[in-house]
Amino acid sequence: MSNLPALQIILPLMAAPICAMVGRPKFAWGLATLVAWASFAISILLFLSVRDGTVISYDMGGWAPPLGIEYRVDVLNAFVLMIVSGMTSFVMPYALKSVASELHESQHAYFYTAFLLCMTGLMGVAITGDAFNVFVFLEISSLSTYALVAMGAARDKRALTAAFNYLIMGTIGATFFVIGLGMMYMVTGTLNMADLAQKIAANGDSRTLRMGFSFVLVGIGLKLAMFPLHLWLPNAYSYAPSAVTTFLASTATKVAIYVMARFMFSIFGFDYDFQANTMQFIMLPLALVAMFAASTVAIFQEDLKRMLAYSSVAQVGYMLLGMSFLTQLGLTATVVHMFNHALIKGGLFMAAGCFIYAVNSSRIDDLKGLGRIMPWTSAAFVLGGLGLIGVPMTAGFISKWYLMQAAFELDWWPIALLIVASSLLAVIYVWRMVEVLYLRDLPEKNDVRAVPLTMLVPMWGLLLLSVYFGVSADITVSAASRAANALIGASNIFWQSGG
Amino acid sequence: MPDTMINMDLVTGHYNYWLVVVLMMTGLFITVSRGNLIKKIVGLNLFQTSVFMLYISMGKIKGGTAPILTDDPATVYSNPLPHVLILTAIVVGIATTALALALIIRIRESYGTIEADEILEIEHQIDDPDPSPTNPANALMARIRGNR
């Protein structure tokens, strides 16, 4: 039991090379699925044991922090771990047929290898308590993501340039992050997150610290597609294999949001005006612009996956907005939305993958009238779309409800109005799909493949869960609220209680 | 000395940082401005290397020796931790470069060029030249594209 935090990372890390070495597609898929489910079970166990507010601190290799690398699990980490491993568990069964139809058979084993490495990296980022370790895991996940995106070249060669551009932007982001860490190390002489938090509070404000803060902000901003830094995202999501898009959209940006929250709230804190001002006068406007600009661009897209990708940029805007309120309620909204959006966007991208499986195209024009012959997939898409808009009884409503409450709490009612207004933009692009699917005539010559059950079941599973968490939000909201408490309030009290 | 003169201490005392800044900006500029994909990667490598130098030079302590334990308690050591961190970062950099070069080979195979503007032109041709009628706003978008 006490080695669970290490197992969480080691299991997928060890399974990845085995997949590549054995090289048989079915075996690689089986092992990856098994590992994903085992990881999910581990993260549920971890979540249950830290739910009451205890903090698990695990010394990697027996070296005590702050010198050794520490794995540190609190409510927030465990919640993010659960999102990542849970989404992997849902994507794996889906990937079997989807990957088989989109990639050449010789690539399958390597696909699952890269997939497991990506999952390892994301979970490592979430679980580690060491700032430099975050960078290493971030790059493990990013490098495998570039490879995964490039595998979409079997369907469309533009995946290669998408992966290349992502690599350039992602590496610049990661390097900025390292520069920021370097500045923080200059000021404090430590890299352990808990230690950093205390030393930054003790050392006082300095220009080096401010530069470190800014570099970390921009670096992570690139990784999470913060509005003007989102340019890599639409192409990467559009041309990657469907299973990869589903996985990335529901986990990669969420983990980056987690890193942002962890660095902003737990490490830097808001003792100094510079940090708080940056959040409220730079991040908040950018988040608002993202909500409107990205949603507007989404309306004009001709490709379903690209439309959903732009919608993701807008949804990241909601998460950053919640964070930039700098209140407990705002952070709660961010964490809840991380979870809810993972379910909704995961389901929607799975539906897009089903359309691609059926008609081998994700162009909206090629999907005309499919509502009649693909009732299950189309209905799932509409259900996910409702969640995206934030209709009551869906998970998206819960997120927006808390986001608006957070705005009202600060008496920032114009922002609450803007949240509603931007949701109306989502109505337009979701309605556009409804119109194409249900109100257009099916072309006379159609060549529609039946979508297998292994793809339909995970998709419906995710979307039904999103409805479940929309109706009874107690579990998610209470977990998110405790996670927000862990981050804000007295970040120092939080860090001291565990160590 | 009047205040308006350059503070020479700031220049000479931190010369390692100034060198790093120059190298960093050179690398970043090459990455952003060059159209040739290989040159982009060269720029990215310069950019990363400058960060390695930032870390390594920051671990140096005046009069400090190599961090090998000696019996003399008066020995001053340089800080070895930044160096170790950079070993890891170098490995990450190599992996990134290798992956980028592999991608460039694949791009050359399927596009026949590694110039960003020629690739962009080929990609525009793949996009449907005739925008879909389901979206009335496409006429507007087409006009914006035409003007660019």
Side-chain angles (χ1 to χ4, degrees):
Chain A
M1 271 302 273
S2 61
N3 283 325
L4 280 184
L7 271 180
Q8 179 89 87
I9 304 303
I10 287 172
L11 218 55
L13 189 64
M14 288 292 146
I18 297 176
C19 281
M21 283 188 287
V22 173
R24 287 216 304 275
K26 278 274 157 37
F27 173 84
W29 176 79
L31 185 64
T33 312
L34 205 67
V35 166
W37 288 346
S39 298
F40 191 32
I42 292 174
S43 52
I44 289 176
L45 283 178
L46 281 175
F47 181 73
L48 290 179
S49 55
V50 298
R51 201 176 43 168
D52 53 356
T54 51
V55 177
I56 301 176
S57 171
Y58 181 87
D59 307 343
M60 229 349 156
W63 296 87
L67 286 181
I69 289 174
E70 178 192 24
Y71 279 9
R72 201 177 175 98
V73 187
D74 66 8
V75 194
L76 180 62
N77 300 28
F79 198 61
V80 176
L81 286 173
M82 220 161 56
I83 295 178
V84 176
S85 58
M87 283 307 301
T88 318
S89 314
F90 272 98
V91 171
M92 273 302 157
Y94 178 88
L96 179 64
K97 295 283 182 185
S98 173
V99 169
S101 82
E102 288 179 30
L103 295 187
H104 190 261
E105 203 181 332
S106 63
Q107 286 184 315
H108 289 186
Y110 300 115
F111 174 88
Y112 292 110
T113 307
F115 205 101
L116 282 176
L117 281 176
C118 187
M119 174 196 179
T120 309
L122 292 175
M123 292 205 300
V125 170
I127 204 171
T128 189
D130 185 274
F132 198 81
N133 211 217
V134 169
F135 161 72
V136 175
F137 276 123
L138 207 57
E139 281 310 86
I140 291 178
S141 75
S142 296
L143 284 168
S144 38
T145 306
Y146 309 145
L148 286 171
V149 170
M151 282 184 188
R155 206 172 72 82
D156 190 329
K157 66 178 174 181
R158 282 173 285 183
L160 295 171
T161 44
F164 187 83
N165 287 334
Y166 186 12
L167 183 143
I168 298 277
M169 306 269 264
T171 306
I172 292 177
T175 312
F176 267 59
F177 181 64
V178 178
I179 299 172
L181 288 184
M183 308 267 178
M184 287 157 70
Y185 183 74
M186 281 184 199
V187 178
T188 59
T190 181
L191 287 166
N192 181 280
M193 288 184 185
D195 212 24
L196 270 174
Q198 286 175 359
K199 295 218 166 119
I200 283 176
N203 282 358
D205 201 5
S206 70
R207 194 178 287 171
T208 316
L209 184 70
R210 291 179 180 188
M211 287 316 294
F213 172 84
S214 313
F215 271 111
V216 168
L217 185 79
V218 174
I220 300 296
L222 259 165
K223 291 275 181 197
L224 63 74
M226 193 163 78
F227 170 65
L229 309 171
H230 69 280
L231 296 170
W232 55 268
L233 188 141
N235 275 340
Y237 280 18
S238 309
Y239 301 126
S242 304
V244 175
T245 313
T246 308
F247 180 67
L248 289 183
S250 49
T251 56
T253 43
K254 311 295 170 294
V255 169
I257 293 262
Y258 156 79
V259 177
M260 181 80 108
R262 181 62 91 200
F263 271 80
M264 297 299 113
F265 289 89
S266 293
I267 296 181
F268 286 107
F270 293 98
D271 307 334
Y272 312 122
D273 286 344
F274 181 77
Q275 279 87 328
N277 287 343
T278 309
M279 294 292 270
Q280 297 207 323
F281 294 108
I282 296 180
M283 191 115 118
L284 190 140
L286 285 180
L288 288 174
V289 174
M291 283 154 50
F292 281 92
S295 298
T296 311
V297 175
I299 295 170
F300 295 112
Q301 295 310 310
E302 291 175 23
D303 183 280
L304 175 59
K305 275 171 99 175
R306 184 176 278 267
M307 181 185 96
L308 292 175
Y310 274 108
S311 144
S312 273
V313 177
Q315 301 289 325
V316 165
Y318 290 114
M319 292 174 220
L320 290 177
L321 183 69
M323 215 188 284
S324 57
F325 286 153
L326 304 183
T327 59
Q328 198 269 351
L329 209 52
L331 262 181
T332 307
T334 297
V335 178
V336 166
H337 196 45
M338 264 162 67
F339 180 79
N340 290 341
H341 182 245
L343 293 180
I344 295 168
K345 212 25 106 36
L348 280 170
F349 270 118
M350 279 186 178
C354 289
F355 287 129
I356 290 176
Y357 186 90
V359 297
N360 197 23
S361 166
S362 57
R363 282 177 49 85
I364 293 178
D365 273 355
D366 295 338
L367 306 178
K368 280 182 201 156
L370 284 182
R372 287 173 209 133
I373 42 177
M374 296 175 66
W376 286 102
T377 311
S378 305
F381 189 90
V382 174
L383 187 62
L386 292 177
L388 212 53
I389 297 165
V391 175
M393 307 287 281
T394 63
F397 175 73
I398 304 292
S399 315
K400 284 184 184 157
W401 174 253
Y402 278 92
L403 204 54
M404 289 186 41
Q405 278 195 333
F408 280 126
E409 186 192 46
L410 293 167
D411 268 340
W412 292 352
W413 56 267
I415 289 182
L417 282 182
L418 290 176
I419 295 170
V420 177
S422 69
S423 303
L424 293 179
L425 289 175
V427 176
I428 301 178
Y429 58 75
V430 170
W431 172 253
R432 213 183 129 208
M433 272 307 292
V434 172
E435 191 192 330
V436 167
L437 286 175
Y438 289 101
L439 304 180
R440 301 270 164 171
D441 289 328
L442 195 67
E444 304 228 328
K445 264 187 71 169
N446 62 61
D447 180 20
V448 179
R449 263 205 296 180
V451 178
L453 218 55
T454 52
M455 290 171 78
L456 288 177
V457 171
M459 173 176 70
W460 272 98
L462 281 181
L463 290 167
L464 288 179
L465 270 181
S466 86
V467 173
Y468 172 79
F469 286 117
V471 176
S472 74
D474 289 348
I475 305 173
T476 48
V477 171
S478 66
S481 176
R482 269 194 294 257
N485 278 334
L487 278 173
I488 214 173
S491 53
N492 288 329
I493 293 173
F494 151 68
W495 285 111
Q496 281 154 12
S497 66
Chain B
M1 213 162 53
D3 288 344
T4 48
M5 268 184 69
I6 302 167
N7 184 351
M8 284 312 285
D9 203 38
L10 188 70
V11 179
T12 54
H14 296 91
Y15 72 93
N16 54 332
Y17 294 142
W18 290 108
L19 292 178
V20 165
V21 167
V22 169
L23 198 59
M24 195 181 280
M25 288 305 113
T26 314
L28 196 57
F29 179 74
I30 295 173
T31 310
V32 176
S33 66
R34 295 295 108 170
N36 186 306
L37 301 188
I38 298 277
K39 288 181 183 169
K40 270 184 194 290
I41 295 304
V42 171
L44 202 63
N45 274 327
L46 264 183
F47 181 52
Q48 286 179 316
T49 309
S50 73
V51 180
F52 301 162
M53 288 169 64
L54 171 77
Y55 267 77
I56 291 168
S57 64
M58 117 192 147
K60 172 69 181 166
I61 292 167
K62 220 174 231 173
T65 167
I68 301 166
L69 206 60
T70 57
D71 293 332
D72 182 13
T75 320
V76 180
Y77 302 108
S78 285
N79 186 350
L81 186 73
H83 304 179
V84 179
L85 294 179
I86 284 318
L87 271 183
T88 317
I90 288 174
V91 174
V92 171
I94 290 171
T96 312
T97 310
L99 183 58
L101 292 176
L103 274 175
I104 292 175
I105 292 174
R106 289 289 308 276
I107 289 175
R108 172 83 166 72
E109 279 171 4
S110 42
Y111 286 84
T113 175
I114 54 166
E115 294 291 335
D117 45 354
E118 290 172 24
I119 292 171
L120 211 62
E121 207 165 291
I122 296 172
E123 291 193 341
H124 275 309
Q125 282 164 6
I126 302 175
D127 280 333
D128 199 349
D130 181 33
S132 81
T134 49
N135 197 336
N138 274 328
L140 181 75
M141 290 297 285
R143 258 167 73 192
I144 296 168
R145 278 208 196 105
N147 285 348
R148 198 170 54 188

